[in-house]
Amino acid sequence: MPGITTAERTISLIYDLTQARLKTLLASWGEKNFRVDQIWQGLYKQFWQSPEQFTTLSKSLKQKMIAYLRFSALEPVRELASKDGDTIKTLFRLTDGPSIEAVLMRYEQRRTLCISTQVGCAMNCSFCATGQMGFTRHLTSGEIVEQVIYYARMLAKTDEKVTNVVIMGMGEPFHNYDATMQAIDILNDHEGFNFGERRFTISTVGLVPMIYKFANEKRQINLAISLHATDNALRSSMIPINTKHPVEELIAACRQYVAQTNRRITFEWALIQGVNDSAQNAKDLADMLHGLLCHVNIIPLNPTNDFEGQASSINQALRFQAEMESHNIPCTIRLRRGIEIAAGCGQLASTDTPL
Ligand code: SAH
């Protein structure tokens, strides 16, 4: 096609394009700028899925879009809903074969999505179902964006909207930093989906150099750190990357982040019976976080096949919480939503149960 460069021929998934890239592409096709707005709004306000739905576009433009762009990279192959219907988990097959998962959680006024950034994960955390799978590949920014648009489209049918997005699904977002940030930027675009940065939370295993980079960018995205242990030997046994970025370096990076951004950090703590749930564990954690603008989120362990640990009892979780609060560290216990539908990280993609 005249005016199309090799680079543009290789562009495929429409959600991979920033608005600026879409503009360049359409200009190379000899199209006027207002067409960009029409397409952008069709994608991010109407959640249209196929070129035929873009009724205001000319036939020739639609034909080019069909020839050069893909409108979906995610095929929903399995969907599980909790009994009350408030939690929905979807397994998506990617064009090249592997699967990822994402979850919608309705809770009071919130409509929170938990989305993935990689197929599998390279971090190999012992207690994590995704970690146990190993790493296949990074998702592109468009594959990350499309998970959100999929649920936005589903919710629009009942006049509901996505209110929060947590990047806590499969994968380590700071290992796929650029694609994750580009996805957030595309979803944040004010002329499109217009989803504020403050409504995103990124959870990282603690890739220290990326925490410094993220701090420098002064974004308004919430940051959560998977801490789970204060002691290096224990943390390394659960989270192998801790041998490269030990806990003191991680906490130093977190302190720097708070100093630079003045934003509160969430520390995640998967509570495992007899491993990290004692009063002494809580006290060590409180000492480590002393003076840091933060919040602790306790998640009773979600049992997985290849990990022997068990979840602590609710009473133990309440004692841990009380100990944290006695040191003036705000602490919440995260409710385990969707356990009955294997909505814990990586748990759907790693089961073979047919629907
Ligand atoms: N890779 C990122 C985000 C994905 S996991 C990270 O490590 O933060 C999201 C959260 O779920 C992390 O805090 C992770 O440690 C936790 N998690 C993983 N498997 C779990 C399990 N079996 N039970 C409880 N929490 C788990």
Side-chain angles (χ1 to χ4, degrees):
M1 184 164 295
I4 298 198
T5 65
T6 315
E8 276 143 5
R9 273 184 208 286
T10 59
I11 288 170
S12 48
L13 179 61
I14 196 159
Y15 297 112
D16 273 322
L17 302 179
T18 59
Q19 200 188 150
R21 287 289 293 128
L22 182 65
K23 215 171 255 178
T24 312
L25 179 65
L26 261 68
S28 78
W29 288 351
E31 297 287 343
K32 301 235 163 56
N33 261 346
F34 75 94
R35 296 293 188 197
V36 177
D37 302 336
Q38 288 180 327
I39 296 175
W40 202 250
Q41 287 174 17
L43 288 173
Y44 293 110
K45 288 195 188 293
Q46 314 297 332
F47 314 130
W48 286 335
Q49 286 177 276
S50 70
E52 292 76 37
Q53 290 177 293
F54 291 77
T55 45
T56 50
L57 302 181
S58 66
K59 200 169 170 206
S60 73
L61 176 53
K62 275 191 270 187
Q63 277 168 349
K64 279 178 214 152
M65 286 166 55
I66 291 166
Y68 292 98
L69 296 169
R70 271 187 306 143
F71 277 71
S72 176
L74 306 180
E75 183 198 349
V77 288
R78 208 195 290 176
E79 202 140 72
L80 301 181
S82 59
K83 283 198 197 88
D84 57 15
D86 285 347
T87 303
I88 296 176
K89 177 156 183 158
T90 311
L91 185 73
F92 295 103
R93 186 178 298 129
L94 302 168
T95 321
D96 55 339
S99 302
I100 55 154
E101 53 195 43
V103 189
L104 159 67
M105 290 160 286
R106 289 187 175 97
Y107 182 63
E108 294 176 349
Q109 300 312 310
R110 288 183 174 226
R111 302 290 175 265
T112 304
L113 305 183
C114 176
I115 60 167
S116 296
T117 53
Q118 296 177 321
V119 183
C121 185
M123 299 299 124
N124 203 19
C125 298
S126 58
F127 54 93
C128 173
T130 309
Q132 292 160 9
M133 263 174 226
F135 177 71
T136 303
R137 70 166 172 87
H138 293 302
L139 295 187
T140 69
S141 60
E143 290 167 331
I144 300 170
V145 167
E146 195 182 337
Q147 295 169 60
V148 176
I149 299 305
Y150 174 84
Y151 287 112
R153 184 183 299 128
M154 179 192 285
L155 288 170
K157 290 183 186 144
T158 41
D159 276 331
E160 297 171 275
K161 283 185 172 165
V162 180
T163 62
N164 301 81
V165 173
V166 298
I167 305 183
M168 296 188 184
M170 297 169 72
E172 166 50 45
F174 277 3
H175 180 211
N176 189 16
Y177 190 92
D178 292 344
T180 301
M181 294 306 161
Q182 177 162 309
I184 291 173
D185 288 342
I186 288 174
L187 292 165
N188 182 237
D189 187 300
H190 299 307
E191 288 156 23
F193 196 57
N194 194 20
F195 200 79
E197 280 199 337
R198 288 167 195 265
R199 297 199 276 156
F200 286 97
T201 300
I202 293 187
S203 174
T204 176
V205 71
L207 299 186
V208 168
M210 291 305 170
I211 296 173
Y212 285 111
K213 181 178 161 83
F214 184 66
N216 281 331
E217 290 177 8
K218 292 221 163 74
R219 288 172 174 269
Q220 299 195 316
I221 303 162
N222 301 301
L223 180 62
I225 306 281
S226 299
L227 192 55
H228 308 318
T230 54
D231 165 79
N232 275 320
L234 176 59
R235 192 165 190 271
S236 297
S237 74
M238 297 165 71
I239 304 176
I241 199 77
N242 188 72
T243 53
K244 193 166 171 198
H245 305 298
V247 75
E248 307 73 48
E249 289 179 23
L250 172 58
I251 298 299
C254 291
R255 288 191 186 277
Q256 172 68 22
Y257 169 84
V258 172
Q260 258 178 277
T261 63
N262 206 24
R263 297 187 66 80
R264 178 188 300 265
I265 293 191
T266 298
F267 289 98
E268 292 157 285
W269 193 271
L271 212 57
I272 311 173
Q273 196 176 65
V275 173
N276 63 356
D277 65 347
S278 69
Q280 186 61 44
N281 294 137
K283 190 176 176 309
D284 292 345
L285 176 58
D287 287 346
M288 179 168 267
L289 302 182
H290 184 73
L292 185 59
L293 181 61
C294 70
H295 171 265
V296 171
N297 204 339
I298 302 175
I299 321 154
L301 183 83
N302 219 336
T304 54
N305 285 344
D306 297 346
F307 184 69
E308 287 186 352
Q310 296 298 317
S312 306
S313 66
I314 185 68
N315 281 339
Q316 197 63 20
L318 289 169
R319 276 195 287 273
F320 196 95
Q321 181 185 34
E323 183 71 28
M324 295 309 295
E325 287 182 341
S326 76
H327 290 88
N328 293 322
I329 297 185
C331 179
T332 46
I333 302 175
R334 193 194 292 168
L335 295 175
R336 298 198 292 171
R337 286 182 209 297
I339 287 302
E340 79 215 56
I341 57 165
C345 176
Q347 290 190 331
L348 187 59
S350 63
T351 53
D352 300 322
T353 337
L355 257 192

